[in-house]
Amino acid sequence: PPLSCDEAVVQLVGDDECADVQQKAKQLRDSVHSKTECWVSIGIGDSPLIARVAASYAKPDKGSSGVVLVEPKQSKDFMATVPLKAIPGIGPVMLEKLQSLGCNTCEDVRRQRTETDLVTTLGKVMGSRVWAAAHGIDNRQIGSTEASGAGTGAQKSISVAVNWGVRLSTDTDLDKFLASIAADASKRLEERGFLTQAVTFKLMQRHPEAPVEPPKFLGHGMCNELTKRHVLPESTASAHRIQMALRTIWDDEFAKKCPIHEIRGLTAMLGKLKRKTS
C-alpha cells in the first residue's frame, strides 16, 4: 500500500535469492527512471520497518547506488547503528524524551534500557514499539494499517502533510497553500464521516545550517519543526474554519519565528474527532 504520495511498501512472494531480489529492484529503479526521469530509492528487508529504514539509506545523499538490501541474518546488526530519529513514528518530542534517557541510537536502547523503561516514558504502545524496533523486531503484516503508518484501533486523528516542493515567497502564497491543505483536510473528514475540534499545525523551517536547496530536488532538507495546537469552539468539517485555525496559529505563533521563504513543509493534524451525525 502507499505510505505517502511518493512512498509505498510491497511484499515479494517467492523463494528468490537475495542477489536476484536486488537485481529486480535495480531493474524496477531503472524502469521508473526511464518513464519519469526520477530516481527512486529502494530498501529491501524482512519486515516493513527494516525495508523503510533501508530505503532511507538508499538515498543519493547517503552515497548509495539507490538500492539497499538487508538480509534477514543482518537485521539486528543493521538496526544497531540506526539513529532513533530515523525510525518511522519517532518525532522531535518523542526523540527528546528518548535522549533524556541517554538514547540516541537503537544500540543505546539495547544496552541501557528495558522495555519497561520505554513504556514508562513513552506509553505502552510506543514504548513497546520503539523497544521492538531497536531490536530489529517488526511483526506487522504488509497491507495492515500499522505497516502503512495509519495506526491501530479507533481513528484518533486525520492528517494532511506536504513536505516536498514547498517553496513560498509571499503571504498570498501562504494563504493559498493553507487553503489547499484545509480543503484536503475537510475532504478527508467528510469521506470518513468525522468532525474535528482541534487543529495542530506542524511547520518545517529550514535549519540555519542547511543549504537553501538540499541534495534531494525540492526536498525539505534539514529542518527545525514548530508545532502548535488550536482548539475550536465547536466541532466542524469546514475547510474555511480549518484554514482560519491554521492562519491563526501562523499569525500568533509562527510568523515571528519563521520567514515565509524558509518554510519547507506543512502539516495539518485534526484531532478530537467525533462521528458526524446525520
Side-chain angles (χ1 to χ4, degrees):
L3 302 179
S4 66
C5 67
D6 64 349
E7 186 179 8
V9 58
V10 298
Q11 183 167 1
L12 302 178
V13 179
D15 54 1
D16 290 348
E17 296 293 330
C18 288
D20 296 331
V21 173
Q22 193 164 21
Q23 182 59 35
K24 289 178 179 178
K26 290 178 179 178
Q27 291 172 353
L28 173 61
R29 189 168 183 266
D30 290 341
S31 176
V32 171
H33 183 263
S34 68
K35 295 178 180 179
T36 67
E37 296 187 5
C38 293
W39 287 112
V40 299
S41 304
I42 301 176
I44 307 168
D46 61 355
S47 70
L49 171 67
I50 300 296
R52 290 189 72 181
V53 175
S56 71
Y57 280 80
K59 297 184 182 299
D61 60 338
K62 303 287 178 135
S64 167
S65 62
V67 177
V68 170
L69 180 146
V70 180
E71 297 187 32
K73 62 184 179 182
Q74 300 172 330
S75 293
K76 187 173 181 180
D77 289 341
F78 170 75
M79 289 300 296
T81 59
V82 170
L84 292 170
K85 65 181 180 181
I87 296 177
I90 296 183
V93 175
M94 190 176 299
L95 181 61
E96 187 174 338
K97 291 180 179 179
L98 288 165
Q99 290 174 335
S100 72
L101 298 176
C103 299
N104 288 287
T105 67
C106 290
E107 185 66 14
D108 292 338
V109 173
R110 296 182 196 175
R111 291 181 175 178
Q112 302 175 25
R113 297 295 168 182
T114 64
E115 183 174 0
T116 300
D117 291 334
L118 298 189
V119 168
T120 299
T121 303
L122 306 178
K124 181 173 178 56
V125 174
M126 285 308 302
S128 296
R129 185 176 297 176
V130 171
W131 185 89
H135 289 76
I137 301 169
D138 182 8
N139 297 319
R140 297 171 298 170
Q141 297 297 309
I142 300 296
S144 70
T145 54
E146 277 191 286
S148 61
T152 59
Q155 188 159 10
K156 296 181 179 180
S157 65
I158 291 174
S159 296
V160 177
V162 182
N163 297 322
W164 181 86
V166 180
R167 298 294 186 271
L168 309 176
S169 300
T170 67
D171 194 68
T172 300
D173 292 341
L174 177 61
D175 259 344
K176 289 180 179 179
F177 207 79
L178 294 181
S180 176
I181 288 179
D184 197 355
S186 174
K187 180 180 179 182
R188 295 186 188 191
L189 286 170
E190 294 285 0
E191 290 174 345
R192 292 164 175 79
F194 283 114
L195 300 174
T196 181
Q197 198 178 351
V199 179
T200 298
F201 189 171
K202 295 184 180 181
L203 181 144
M204 299 181 74
Q205 178 182 7
R206 183 179 70 86
H207 191 280
E209 298 180 4
V212 174
E213 292 302 335
K216 180 179 179 181
F217 179 65
L218 289 182
H220 57 72
M222 182 168 61
C223 291
N224 291 327
E225 187 174 281
L226 305 177
T227 304
K228 187 66 178 180
R229 186 171 186 249
H230 180 83
V231 178
L232 300 166
E234 60 184 21
S235 298
T236 184
S238 163
H240 176 70
R241 291 184 181 179
I242 294 170
Q243 180 186 354
M244 290 301 99
L246 294 171
R247 183 72 211 199
T248 297
I249 295 173
W250 169 261
D251 290 339
D252 294 349
E253 300 291 335
F254 296 166
K256 55 192 173 187
K257 301 175 183 178
C258 177
I260 289 177
H261 69 271
E262 290 191 356
I263 297 173
R264 291 294 180 268
L266 299 170
T267 299
M269 185 171 73
L270 312 178
K272 298 188 71 173
L273 301 181
K274 74 174 187 179
R275 284 290 177 185
K276 187 177 182 179
T277 56
S278 55

